[in-house]
Amino acid sequence: MSAESIARWNAIPLDRPEPGPEQASTLKRSRSEDGHSDRDDDDVSLVSRSPSPVDRMDVDQSIDKYDEYHRGPTREVITVETRLKSTNKGFAMLAKMGWAEGQPLGLSGDGRIDPIPFTIKNDSTGLGKVTQDVRMIETTVSQRRELDSERMTKESEEQRKAREDAAAKKAALQQEISSTLRPFYCELCDKQFKNVAQYDEHTNSYAHHHKARARDMQAAQKLMQGRGTKEDVDRRKEKERKREEREM
Ligand SMILES: [Zn+2]
C-alpha cells in the first residue's frame, strides 16, 4: 500500500456522520451505480464499503410479487407424460439439429420416441433382488416333488395296484438278498456283510474277537456259578447224610 493511500485511509473519520435525508438515498445505491475503480471505493467510509444488499421488495413491487420473490419464478414441471414445449432449451437444440417433434432420436432415426419409463424403488434391497427372489420362488414351487401322501390321494385304482406290486416286489427282492447273504452274516455281532472278503475281514477283526471273548467269558462264569451251586448242593447233601449216620 502506498503512503498516499495509507494517509487517505487514516483520514477516514471513525464515527459515521448521521445520514441526512439526501444522504440516505445515496446509501441505497444499486450495484450498477457502484463505482468499480479503486479511487471511487477509497472515498467511501469503512462502514459503507460493503454494499448493502439490494432490497428488492423496497422497489415498487406489488404485494402480488411476494411469493415469486420468495420461491423464485414458478418452474415448469416436466413429467414423462408432458411434452417439452418449443421454448425448452433442449427442444430448441434438437430442433436446430433437424429434429421435429414426434420423430425418433438417433442418427439412423430408429431410436425411442417416448422417454425411458422408470419405477420408483422404495425398499432397500439390491437392484434385481426382488425379481430374483420371485423367480426362485416360482421355480421352487413348480418343481417341488409331490409328497407321497399327495400322490396317493390322486392315484387311480390301477396306479395303486402298480404301486403295491412294486412294493411287494421290492420286499421279495430284499428277502432274497438277505437269504443269499446269510453266510456272510455274523450272528455274534448282528452284522450283515456283502461278500466273503468283508466277512473274512470282520471275523479277523479285533471287534469280533472281543465280542467272542466276552461271550466265552460270560459262558465260563455261568458255568462256574452253576458248578458252585452244584457243589453247595453236594455239600449240603453230604452234611445231611453224615447227620443221618450219627442219628442212626
Ligand atoms: Zn462278528
Side-chain angles (χ1 to χ4, degrees):
M1 203 183 266
S2 69
E4 190 195 345
S5 60
I6 291 172
R8 250 203 333 266
W9 273 104
N10 288 334
I12 297 169
L14 284 179
D15 52 331
R16 195 182 171 197
E18 284 298 309
E22 75 285 344
Q23 246 178 324
S25 62
T26 53
L27 275 174
K28 229 180 259 173
R29 288 167 308 167
S30 69
R31 260 181 184 282
S32 58
E33 286 167 2
D34 260 342
H36 287 291
S37 72
D38 277 13
R39 193 152 292 268
D40 279 352
D41 272 0
D42 286 348
D43 289 340
V44 186
S45 76
L46 256 184
V47 189
S48 61
R49 270 177 76 82
S50 52
S52 46
V54 181
D55 193 355
R56 278 193 270 165
M57 283 307 289
D58 194 45
V59 200
D60 55 345
Q61 278 179 339
S62 61
I63 198 75
D64 304 337
K65 297 275 183 181
Y66 179 82
D67 284 349
E68 193 178 308
Y69 170 74
H70 269 272
R71 292 179 205 144
T74 48
R75 282 196 178 165
E76 194 184 341
V77 179
I78 302 292
T79 68
V80 182
E81 273 78 33
T82 53
R83 296 192 171 281
L84 287 180
K85 286 177 185 165
S86 52
T87 53
N88 183 281
K89 189 77 182 167
F91 188 100
M93 284 170 77
L94 281 165
K96 222 181 259 182
M97 287 185 277
W99 175 78
E101 193 170 0
Q103 274 182 2
L105 297 175
L107 191 63
S108 48
D110 55 357
R112 60 164 56 246
I113 296 173
D114 298 316
I116 299 168
F118 55 85
T119 50
I120 293 167
K121 189 172 166 301
N122 289 320
D123 49 19
S124 57
T125 53
L127 281 177
K129 176 68 178 152
V130 173
T131 337
Q132 187 197 27
D133 283 354
V134 167
R135 203 164 48 229
M136 195 170 285
I137 289 165
E138 276 172 359
T139 52
T140 311
V141 168
S142 65
Q143 287 175 3
R144 182 177 71 86
R145 278 179 59 209
E146 279 181 301
L147 294 172
D148 281 347
S149 54
E150 283 176 331
R151 245 173 307 177
M152 277 181 203
T153 56
K154 280 187 209 163
E155 71 186 358
S156 64
E157 186 58 34
E158 54 187 69
Q159 274 176 324
R160 189 180 63 84
K161 212 169 178 199
R163 181 172 54 82
E164 280 172 359
D165 279 358
K169 255 184 205 167
K170 207 171 173 182
L173 192 67
Q174 202 66 44
Q175 187 67 38
E176 201 182 319
I177 288 171
S178 68
S179 64
T180 316
L181 292 179
R182 181 66 58 197
F184 312 133
Y185 177 74
C186 177
E187 275 179 46
L188 179 62
C189 309
D190 187 25
K191 272 183 184 166
Q192 177 66 62
F193 297 96
K194 284 175 183 146
N195 52 45
V196 195
Q198 278 184 0
Y199 182 71
D200 240 32
E201 195 188 332
H202 169 71
T203 48
N204 291 322
S205 72
Y206 175 80
H208 179 77
H209 280 299
H210 183 76
K211 276 243 168 87
R213 256 199 317 278
R215 183 194 54 185
D216 289 349
M217 244 157 74
Q218 269 178 353
Q221 231 164 16
K222 246 181 212 166
L223 208 67
M224 286 281 279
Q225 276 171 359
R227 196 182 293 158
T229 50
K230 204 178 169 194
E231 274 173 3
D232 280 349
V233 172
D234 283 352
R235 211 176 297 139
R236 231 178 293 134
K237 276 185 181 170
E238 180 75 13
K239 258 188 194 167
E240 222 164 295
R241 197 175 52 82
K242 275 182 183 169
R243 200 183 56 191
E244 279 171 6
E245 272 178 1
R246 260 181 273 139
E247 280 174 6
M248 278 202 316

